[in-house]
């Protein structure tokens, strides 16, 4: 029996005589067309097993696939196939069974070269590991006769008793027979809900799982002793494919291979190349003619298609197919995208307000008025000349689109939006936990299943072998901080170096901006000189974008390498450490150029006659007369849009396609020219093997978290950021869905009740956004200087004279030697006094060029605004957090109702048992009384029968 379980063999009547005849004909030398004719007249065995979804008997479903490489010469291909089929049928015990292909070597003798030591070692480990899987109760079937030559597949099936045992061990909640009514709304709310359902009906996916439910099955952790509680009417569908693959994967991780002092689970075997891949199968094809209906096809039609971008996501079906962890990611992405809709609408209104009031903005009108004849100081030494402020008219008008009183309101709104979004997600998460039966699930239960990673086991083994070599008695080894200290030191130095590299690149771009501005200022054409700022800003931002995209990929690889050398024990620890490092490096990489423009550019310039220089030759660059906010807007928009378009979309579409094409070329090169093999349809596990392996959700979350930072951190400078994020996410949802359904192997379902560490990162970004927007409004924009001028210095209560108030005067005779313009008459007249943007004393003052009192008044107002804004918005955010309950009231009622119903079920069960016992006790008493009324001999016989009566309920 053990042999049949381990490697299933077809009985002669199931195999079909045609297979044997064809092999014999091939060996004798008949021509290929005759064998093909014989094959075509017989029944196709691949159709019986639904092309790889079932074992060869067509009854047992394939729950998991193990893939391995093996070496075999093409000369012995036919003989090897036949020997492999016969070999699978004659295997005996785990220790004495012949190795795959051993019989071939004996028959071929010297013509077949002997496999090397490493191949034999891998085969030994596979033999032992698969034997241990059989002992764990799994059923295996090997297939080396595939279109992908040199690759073998082991199909795994979990029988009913194994599924029940593991479901009980994993505490999987399964639906019971008990059904109860879900509380429905009444009165006005019911009418409103019905109207909303009718309105939103066209945008609902046509999926059964997405329809509103009125009844729900009571769920309870599976128990073999309480199987009567569960609905086992159809055992084939009681455990769905997602649950079956999860159970098999847990057995694979727990089962070890102990030969040659190795203790290895499936993760170690994959890491050491014993197996090349391990994955569950997709449910079937998603396109083509005569495709049987399946969940994958339904997901492709109703979710992973750009034509349904306007519809809701079928989240319940996504969870059913991919598991809770992936379902929560797409649910979170859907909630985030929905919440971007009101933020986008308000952002558009703020932008339109700026467009409507640009002609009424007095400061920009004064800057554009050529009658003011304000002569500005040169922007660089020697080569730059004096210039008119009116030449910066376009920049001033454009700045008003984003630098107006409405942006302050928008910053407050976005801070409250972020708090509302987090609360809305928590409530949505609780609803999903209730629907998906995760209310009683705790992460500690998952910790029981956290097996050590392959690298950790290898390091522990290496450490124990070193101690054994030194003849020391050792207990069970584990890695301490001393073992990891070199890795920690490497991590610290590596991260500091990467952050320093990012700063150095930003500094290099600053040098480029300064030198390019000086070079373009030499241009003889007036139009060239007038477009210096725009040209320098645009080219510098494009350079920043290219560097950010390149470094993003580099930092992702470096963060993974730094995490690997730390050797975390479990996959969860590995993922958390990787997320922290990758987020830190990518955050610094994406936002450093923006932070420079927002808070450092123009702050340390100096003044005419006493400028600050870099390397004694490059003068620090200044902000435009309208402020740095417009440049910050350009920087933010180009980086955000370019990163989303190139990195998030083109890379996600292009790279998987390219990898798939490369794998196709490799397989085509190795494919045989055999006509029979070429015409044969691929099995499901062969098709899935050609797909890209699932690499985790970290990249998907990371790009959305970085985008969330763009939307919230500097939203005061770019109100249209939520709109562009919304448009990107509409595409991103369908792009990710298409990738999961069509481009990736099916991932193992993982239970999770929340999005983990990402929620804390989101909250941190939301808090940081309040502080950054307060500083952007007060220090980067001119909002505070305008308020100070309006209420302290304006003579008539208007903004007339504001531009002149923000400019200081400089006597051109005070220029340092060698820094005055080479062409002082470039404007057509001699300049004696030029103006520059700063609050300083005039040259005719006693303390000329010293900082004036106006500067300190504005600085005090700015700091006061930061404190008031930050505390006010933080208080409002906390108030929103407090006033919105984390758990919806109806969900808390339903959870309580479930607990009460479960108690009732068990109370009824206990009452039934007590009644049964009382019934048997009453029967025993009656029989005892009857025996007392008869003779002693009869009494003895009755006593014997009485003892048998007492034994009967025990047997029951």
């Amino acid at each position: 029996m053990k042999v049949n379980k381990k490697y299933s063999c077809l009985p002669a009547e199931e195999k079909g005589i045609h297979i044997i005849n064809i092999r014999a004909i091939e060996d004798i030398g008949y021509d290929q067309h005759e064998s093909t004719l014989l094959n075509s007249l017989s029944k196709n065995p691949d159709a019986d097993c639904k092309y790889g979804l079932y074992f060869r008997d067509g009854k047992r479903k394939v729950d998991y696939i193990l893939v391995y490489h093996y070496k075999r010469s093409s000369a012995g291909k036919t003989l090897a196939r036949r020997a492999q089929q016969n070999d699978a049928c004659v295997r005996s015990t785990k220790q004495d069974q012949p190795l795959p292909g051993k019989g071939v070597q004996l028959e071929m003798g010297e013509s077949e070269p002997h496999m090397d030591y490493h191949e034999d070692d891998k085969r030994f480990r596979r033999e032992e590991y698969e034997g241990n899987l059989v002992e764990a109760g799994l059923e295996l079937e090997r297939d080396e006769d595939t279109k992908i030559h040199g690759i073998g597949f082991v199909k795994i099936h979990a029988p009913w008793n194994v599924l029940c045992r593991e479901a009980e061990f994993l505490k999987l909640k399964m639906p019971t027979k008990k059904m109860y009514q879900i509380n429905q709304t009444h009165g006005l709310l019911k009418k409103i809900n019905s109207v909303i359902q009718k309105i939103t009906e066209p945008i609902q996916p046509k999926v059964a799982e997405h329809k509103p439910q009125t009844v729900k099955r009571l769920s309870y952790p599976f128990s073999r002793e309480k199987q009567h509680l569960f609905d086992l009417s159809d055992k084939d569908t009681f455990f769905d494919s997602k649950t079956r693959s999860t159970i098999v994967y847990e057995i694979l991780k727990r089962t070890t291979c102990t030969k040659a002092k190795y203790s290895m689970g499936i993760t170690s075997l994959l890491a050491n190349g014993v197996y090349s891949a391990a994955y569950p199968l997709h449910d079937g094809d998603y396109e083509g003619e005569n495709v049987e209906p399946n969940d994958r096809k339904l997901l492709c039609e109703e979710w992973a298609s750009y034509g349904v971008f306007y519809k809701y996501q079928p989240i319940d079906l996504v969870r059913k197919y991919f598991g809770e962890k992936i379902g929560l990611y797409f649910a979170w992405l859907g909630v985030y995208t929905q919440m971007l809709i009101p933020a986008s609408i308000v952002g558009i209104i703020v932008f339109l307000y700026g467009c409507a009031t640009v002609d009424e903005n007095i400061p920009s009108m004064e800057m554009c008025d050529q009658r003011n004849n304000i002569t500005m100081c040169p922007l660089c030494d020697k080569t730059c000349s004096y210039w008119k402020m009116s030449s910066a008219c376009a920049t001033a008008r454009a700045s008003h689109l984003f630098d107006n009183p409405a942006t302050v309101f928008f910053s407050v709104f976005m801070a409250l939006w972020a708090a509302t979004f987090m609360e809305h997600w928590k409530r949505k998460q609780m609803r999903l936990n209730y629907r998906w039966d995760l209310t009683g699930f705790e992460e500690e239960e998952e910790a029981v299943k956290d097996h050590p990673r392959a690298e950790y086991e290898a390091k522990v083994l290496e450490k124990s072998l070193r101690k054994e070599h030194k003849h020391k008695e050792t207990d069970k080894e584990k890695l301490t901080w001393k073992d990891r200290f070199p890795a920690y030191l490497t991590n610290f130095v590596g991260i500091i170096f990467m952050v320093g590299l990012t700063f150095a690149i930003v500094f290099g771009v600053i040098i480029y901006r300064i030198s390019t501005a000086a070079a373009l200022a030499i241009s003889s054409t007036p139009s060239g000189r007038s477009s210096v700022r725009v040209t320098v800003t645009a080219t510098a931002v494009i350079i920043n974008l290219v560097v950010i995209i390149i470094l993003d990929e580099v930092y992702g690889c470096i963060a993974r390498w730094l995490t690997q050398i730390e050797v975390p024990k479990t996959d969860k620890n590995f993922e958390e450490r990787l997320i922290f490092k990758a987020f830190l490096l990518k955050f610094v990489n994406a936002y450093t150029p923006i932070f420079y423009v927002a808070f450092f550019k123009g702050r340390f310039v100096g003044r005419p006659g006493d400028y600050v220089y870099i390397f004694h030759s490059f003068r620090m660059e200044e902000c435009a007369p309208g402020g740095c906010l417009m440049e910050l807007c350009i920087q933010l928009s180009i980086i955000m849009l370019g990163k989303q378009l190139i990195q998030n979309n083109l890379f996600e579409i292009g790279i998987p396609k390219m990898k798939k094409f490369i794998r196709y070329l490799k397989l085509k090169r190795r494919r045989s020219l055999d006509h029979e093999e070429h015409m044969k349809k691929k099995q499901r596990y062969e098709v899935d093997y050609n797909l890209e392996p699932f690499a985790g959700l970290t990249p998907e979350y990371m790009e959305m978290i970085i985008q969330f930072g763009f939307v919230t951190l500097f939203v005061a400078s770019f109100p249209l950021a939520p709109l562009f994020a919304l448009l990107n996410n509409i595409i991103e949802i369908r792009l990710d869905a298409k990738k999961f359904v069509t481009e990736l192997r099916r991932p193992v379902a993982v239970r999770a009740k929340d999005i983990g560490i990402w929620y804390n990162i989101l909250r941190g970004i939301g808090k940081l956004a309040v502080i950054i927007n307060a500083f952007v409004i007060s220090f980067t924009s001119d909002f505070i200087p305008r308020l100070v001028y309006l209420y302290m210095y304006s003579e008539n209560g208007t903004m007339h004279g504001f531009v002149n108030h923000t400019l200081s005067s400089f006597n051109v005779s005070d220029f340092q030697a060698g820094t005055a313009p080479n062409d002082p008459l470039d404007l057509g007249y001699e300049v004696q006094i030029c103006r520059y943007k700063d609050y300083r004393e005039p040259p005719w003052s006693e303390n000329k060029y010293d900082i004036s009192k106006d500067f300190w008044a504005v600085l005090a107002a700015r700091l006061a605004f930061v404190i008031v804004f930050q505390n006010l918005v933080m208080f409002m955010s906390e108030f929103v957090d407090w006033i919105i309950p984390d758990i919806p009231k109806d969900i808390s009622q339903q959870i309580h109702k479930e607990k009460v119903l479960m108690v009732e079920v068990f109370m009824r069960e206990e009452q039934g048992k007590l009644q049964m016992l009382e019934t048997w006790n009453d029967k025993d008493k009656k029989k005892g009384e009857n025996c007392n009324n008869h003779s002693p001999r009869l009494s003895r016989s009755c006593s014997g029968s009485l003892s048998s009566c007492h034994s009967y309920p025990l047997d029951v």
Side-chain angles (χ1 to χ4, degrees):
M1 291 301 292
K2 188 173 183 179
V3 179
N4 292 333
K5 283 183 182 178
K6 182 168 184 181
Y7 296 110
S8 302
C9 303
L10 287 173
E13 63 271 16
E14 291 186 14
K15 285 185 177 180
I17 304 301
H18 68 281
I19 298 178
I20 299 174
N21 289 340
I22 290 168
R23 299 304 178 198
I25 289 168
E26 285 179 355
D27 291 345
I28 293 169
Y30 280 172
D31 104 333
Q32 182 68 34
H33 298 289
E34 294 183 15
S35 75
T36 308
L37 179 61
L38 288 171
N39 197 9
S40 63
L41 293 175
S42 59
K43 190 177 180 182
N44 184 5
D46 289 342
D48 294 338
C49 62
K50 294 188 178 179
Y51 295 98
L53 287 174
Y54 288 81
F55 277 22
R56 294 190 191 102
D57 58 12
K59 298 176 181 177
R60 291 172 292 173
K61 190 174 183 180
V62 177
D63 298 319
Y64 219 87
I65 291 292
L66 299 179
V67 188
Y68 61 91
H69 290 272
Y70 66 93
K71 291 184 179 179
R72 187 173 65 197
S73 67
S74 58
K77 182 179 68 174
T78 304
L79 187 57
R81 281 185 201 148
R82 194 170 69 249
Q84 185 269 332
Q85 291 172 357
N86 295 334
D87 182 52
C89 297
V90 299
R91 296 178 188 270
S92 56
T93 61
K94 179 178 61 178
Q95 292 81 5
D96 300 325
Q97 63 191 1
L99 301 175
K102 189 172 181 180
V104 181
Q105 291 173 4
L106 291 174
E107 291 183 33
M108 296 184 66
E110 298 298 327
S111 63
E112 181 74 22
H114 194 275
M115 295 183 182
D116 58 14
Y117 168 76
H118 294 291
E119 289 298 319
D120 288 341
D121 181 57
K122 289 179 182 178
R123 194 166 65 256
F124 272 119
R125 295 189 203 175
R126 285 199 296 268
E127 290 289 335
E128 187 197 1
Y129 182 70
E130 290 166 13
N132 293 339
L133 290 180
V134 172
E135 289 182 356
L138 298 178
E139 297 176 4
L140 311 183
E141 185 177 83
R142 188 188 294 275
D143 185 8
E144 291 184 356
D145 186 17
T146 63
K147 293 189 74 174
I148 309 175
H149 294 294
I151 293 179
F153 297 89
V154 178
K155 295 175 275 188
I156 302 177
H157 168 77
W160 173 255
N161 60 328
V162 174
L163 293 172
C164 293
R165 181 192 71 206
E166 296 298 321
E168 183 174 356
F169 173 70
L170 298 175
K171 300 179 181 178
L172 296 180
K173 273 192 170 184
M174 304 303 294
T176 63
K177 296 176 183 177
K178 177 69 176 176
M179 300 181 71
Y180 68 94
Q181 194 80 16
I182 296 176
N183 292 339
Q184 301 293 323
T185 55
H186 300 284
L188 182 62
L189 285 176
K190 186 176 181 180
K191 293 180 180 179
I192 293 173
N193 287 339
S194 63
V195 171
I196 292 174
Q197 285 180 6
K198 289 180 181 179
I199 294 173
T200 59
E201 187 175 356
I203 60 175
Q204 300 290 345
K206 298 176 182 178
V207 175
E209 286 80 359
H210 196 77
K211 294 178 180 178
Q213 297 178 343
T214 56
V215 293
K216 185 177 183 291
R217 285 190 180 274
L218 197 62
S219 295
Y220 185 73
F222 188 81
S223 172
R224 285 173 289 180
E225 295 179 355
K226 301 184 184 299
Q227 285 193 33
H228 57 277
L229 294 178
F230 300 94
D231 184 13
L232 303 179
S233 56
D234 188 359
K235 291 185 178 181
D236 292 335
T237 59
F238 182 72
F239 295 106
D240 57 15
S241 58
K242 163 185 70 77
T243 308
R244 296 175 71 99
S245 62
T246 303
I247 289 174
V248 174
Y249 182 62
E250 291 303 320
I251 298 175
L252 292 177
K253 286 199 297 184
R254 195 171 65 237
T255 306
T256 57
C257 169
T258 56
K259 279 190 178 179
K261 293 190 177 181
Y262 283 92
S263 178
M264 311 173 75
I266 187 61
T267 52
S268 301
L269 293 171
L270 288 169
N272 287 283
V274 179
Y275 291 103
S276 58
Y279 51 89
L281 292 179
H282 280 292
D283 279 357
D285 292 324
Y286 60 89
E287 61 183 358
E289 298 180 359
N290 302 323
V291 176
E292 292 186 6
N294 57 73
D295 287 343
R296 188 187 187 195
K297 185 174 185 293
L298 187 60
L299 281 172
C300 189
E301 293 172 352
E302 293 295 328
W303 182 51
S305 173
Y306 296 110
V308 294
F309 72 93
Y310 59 92
K311 288 188 176 183
Y312 286 103
Q313 298 182 87
I315 292 298
D316 292 323
L317 185 60
V318 174
R319 173 254 179 179
K320 178 186 174 186
Y321 194 78
F322 291 110
E324 286 80 6
K325 192 170 185 179
I326 293 175
L328 281 173
Y329 163 70
F330 281 103
W332 172 82
L333 184 56
V335 169
Y336 172 47
T337 305
Q338 288 176 7
M339 289 294 292
L340 282 172
I341 295 174
S344 302
I345 293 172
V346 177
I348 293 171
I349 293 172
V350 169
F351 177 74
L352 293 177
Y353 171 81
C355 295
T357 58
V358 66
D359 291 330
E360 302 171 3
N361 184 39
I362 295 174
S364 61
M365 290 170 61
E366 288 184 348
M367 289 182 65
C368 294
D369 191 357
Q370 296 185 359
R371 293 173 297 179
N372 288 335
N373 198 27
I374 299 176
T375 304
M376 304 296 294
C377 295
L379 296 174
C380 61
D381 294 342
K382 293 185 181 180
T383 55
C384 298
S385 186
Y386 306 106
W387 56 285
K388 290 289 188 69
M389 176 172 271
S390 57
S391 64
C393 175
T395 307
R397 288 174 64 84
S399 295
H400 179 73
L401 301 179
F402 305 99
D403 186 7
N404 56 68
T407 56
V408 180
F409 158 76
F410 190 57
S411 298
V412 176
F413 170 81
M414 287 304 293
L416 298 178
W417 172 88
T420 307
F421 162 61
M422 300 305 294
E423 291 304 308
H424 179 46
W425 166 243
K426 281 196 288 188
R427 291 169 64 85
K428 177 71 173 180
Q429 195 169 250
M430 281 305 303
R431 289 188 181 278
L432 293 176
N433 285 340
Y434 165 71
R435 267 165 43 194
W436 297 349
D437 298 320
L438 294 171
T439 49
F441 172 74
E442 296 297 334
E443 297 296 335
E444 289 76 12
E445 295 179 16
E446 285 293 291
V448 176
K449 304 190 302 179
D450 276 344
H451 302 278
R453 297 173 62 248
E455 293 81 358
Y456 181 84
E457 287 185 337
K459 281 286 184 183
V460 170
L461 177 64
E462 184 182 338
K463 182 179 178 181
S464 61
L465 289 175
R466 281 200 308 266
K467 291 198 173 184
E468 283 181 15
H469 184 67
K470 295 177 181 179
H471 306 289
K472 290 183 178 180
E473 292 292 332
T474 58
D475 297 328
K476 188 176 180 181
E477 293 293 337
K478 63 179 182 180
L479 298 184
T480 62
W481 69 270
K482 292 181 180 178
D483 300 316
R484 290 192 173 104
F485 181 74
Y488 290 152
L489 184 62
T490 306
N491 270 260
F492 179 75
V493 174
I495 290 174
I496 294 297
F497 175 76
M498 291 301 127
V499 172
L501 176 64
T502 305
F503 290 161
I505 290 172
V506 172
F507 184 72
V509 174
I510 293 170
I511 299 296
Y512 162 80
R513 293 161 69 111
I514 295 169
S515 57
T516 307
L520 290 176
I522 307 175
S523 173
S524 57
T525 59
S527 60
R529 289 197 296 271
S530 63
S531 61
V532 167
R533 284 188 183 277
V534 177
T535 305
V536 171
T537 301
T539 54
V541 172
I542 292 172
I543 292 172
N544 273 326
L545 173 63
V546 173
V547 170
I548 286 172
I549 291 174
I550 294 172
L551 286 184
D552 247 10
E553 302 301 320
V554 174
Y555 285 169
C557 298
I558 290 174
R560 181 168 289 276
W561 175 74
L562 290 174
T563 310
Q564 285 172 347
I565 63 174
E566 280 187 44
V567 198
K569 184 176 181 179
T570 63
D571 287 328
K572 185 178 180 181
N573 292 340
F574 180 87
E575 186 180 23
E576 288 179 350
R577 296 185 186 192
L578 174 62
I579 288 170
F580 173 74
K581 294 180 186 65
F583 175 73
L584 177 64
L585 292 175
K586 292 190 176 189
F587 183 89
V588 172
N589 180 43
Y591 297 116
T592 300
I594 301 173
F595 268 94
Y596 164 72
V597 174
F599 302 121
F600 296 99
K601 185 178 179 182
R603 310 291 174 199
F604 312 103
V605 178
R607 60 171 179 80
D610 188 21
Y611 283 114
V612 177
Y613 290 90
I614 303 174
F615 304 133
H616 304 288
S617 56
F618 296 107
R619 214 174 87 187
M620 289 294 290
E621 55 182 345
E622 305 174 41
C623 288
C628 278
L629 197 71
M630 186 61 201
E631 190 171 339
L632 176 62
C633 174
I634 295 172
Q635 184 104 3
L636 185 65
S637 59
I638 292 179
I639 290 178
M640 179 182 176
L641 296 177
K643 202 170 182 300
Q644 288 182 350
L645 180 65
I646 298 172
Q647 191 175 26
N648 296 357
N649 293 333
L650 291 183
F651 280 16
E652 283 194 22
I653 296 172
I655 291 178
K657 293 282 186 187
M658 187 174 65
K659 287 182 178 179
K660 189 177 179 181
F661 182 68
I662 291 171
R663 280 198 307 273
Y664 169 76
L665 292 179
K666 286 181 179 179
L667 292 171
K668 190 176 180 181
R669 195 175 303 159
R670 288 158 49 184
R671 190 174 294 166
S672 172
L673 297 176
D674 190 348
H675 180 71
E676 177 195 347
E677 293 289 328
H678 182 69
M679 295 302 293
K680 188 170 67 174
K681 183 179 177 180
K682 278 189 175 183
Q683 304 289 327
R684 176 79 263 151
Y685 44 84
E686 295 178 82
V687 176
D688 286 3
Y689 177 72
N690 295 330
L691 299 177
E692 186 75 12
F694 175 64
L697 289 170
T698 300
E700 315 299 335
Y701 273 115
M702 188 66 72
E703 65 182 72
M704 288 296 105
I705 296 296
I706 296 295
Q707 185 204 82
F708 183 77
F710 282 123
V711 169
T712 55
L713 292 179
F714 297 94
V715 74
S717 63
F718 190 41
L720 296 179
L723 174 64
F724 290 114
L726 173 65
L727 298 176
N728 174 81
N729 287 5
I730 291 173
I731 301 171
E732 181 72 21
I733 290 175
R734 307 303 164 179
L735 181 63
D736 283 349
K738 199 171 187 64
K739 182 172 69 173
F740 272 83
V741 173
T742 65
E743 300 288 340
L744 297 180
R745 293 176 192 162
R746 187 175 183 177
V748 180
V750 178
R751 286 191 299 170
K753 64 184 301 183
D754 52 40
I755 60 175
I757 193 174
W758 298 109
Y759 181 81
N760 297 328
I761 293 175
L762 284 169
R763 283 190 67 87
I765 291 177
K767 303 292 184 186
L768 184 62
V770 176
I771 300 170
I772 289 178
N773 280 306
F775 277 94
V776 167
I777 294 170
S778 61
F779 284 91
T780 308
S781 75
D782 282 340
F783 177 73
I784 299 300
R786 287 172 185 166
L787 285 181
V788 172
Y789 177 79
L790 186 64
Y791 292 106
M792 291 182 63
Y793 300 103
S794 177
E795 297 178 355
N796 52 8
T798 64
M799 293 301 296
H800 288 287
F802 170 74
V803 173
N804 187 58
H805 176 76
T806 59
L807 298 177
S808 299
S809 301
F810 178 74
N811 193 329
V812 297
S813 61
D814 293 331
F815 272 121
Q816 290 181 354
T819 61
N822 294 334
D823 186 10
L825 299 176
D826 183 60
L827 293 177
Y829 55 87
E830 184 180 359
V831 177
Q832 294 181 347
I833 300 292
C834 67
R835 309 295 295 275
Y836 62 98
K837 189 170 183 179
D838 205 349
Y839 292 100
R840 291 183 180 270
E841 297 291 344
W844 51 83
S845 172
E846 295 181 0
N847 303 315
K848 65 177 183 178
Y849 307 133
D850 284 351
I851 293 174
S852 64
K853 294 179 180 179
D854 298 343
F855 171 82
W856 300 111
V858 171
L859 180 62
R862 282 173 164 166
L863 293 175
F865 176 83
V866 168
I867 295 170
V868 172
F869 181 89
Q870 177 184 332
N871 286 281
L872 178 63
V873 175
M874 286 283 190
F875 170 77
M876 294 171 71
S877 300
E878 293 297 326
F879 179 73
V880 169
D881 192 356
W882 173 76
I883 202 172
I884 300 176
D886 293 346
I887 304 176
K889 187 177 180 180
D890 60 325
I891 296 299
S892 61
Q893 290 175 350
Q894 298 287 8
I895 293 172
H896 178 71
K897 185 177 180 179
E898 277 196 353
K899 291 179 180 178
V900 172
L901 288 172
M902 186 55 67
V903 170
E904 288 179 3
V905 169
F906 284 114
M907 288 297 293
R908 285 176 190 165
E909 188 178 358
E910 292 297 322
Q911 288 173 1
K913 289 180 181 178
L914 289 173
Q915 288 176 1
M916 184 184 295
L917 289 173
E918 288 175 1
T919 304
W920 287 116
N921 288 333
D922 291 342
K923 288 182 179 179
D924 291 345
K925 287 179 181 179
K926 288 179 181 179
K927 288 192 176 182
E929 291 174 0
N930 292 335
C931 290
N932 291 333
N933 297 331
H934 292 82
S935 63
R937 193 176 70 177
L938 187 60
S939 178
R940 283 197 297 270
S941 67
C942 283
S943 65
S945 66
L946 184 62
S947 65
S948 66
C949 290
H950 279 290
S951 68
Y952 184 73
L954 295 176
D955 293 339
V956 173

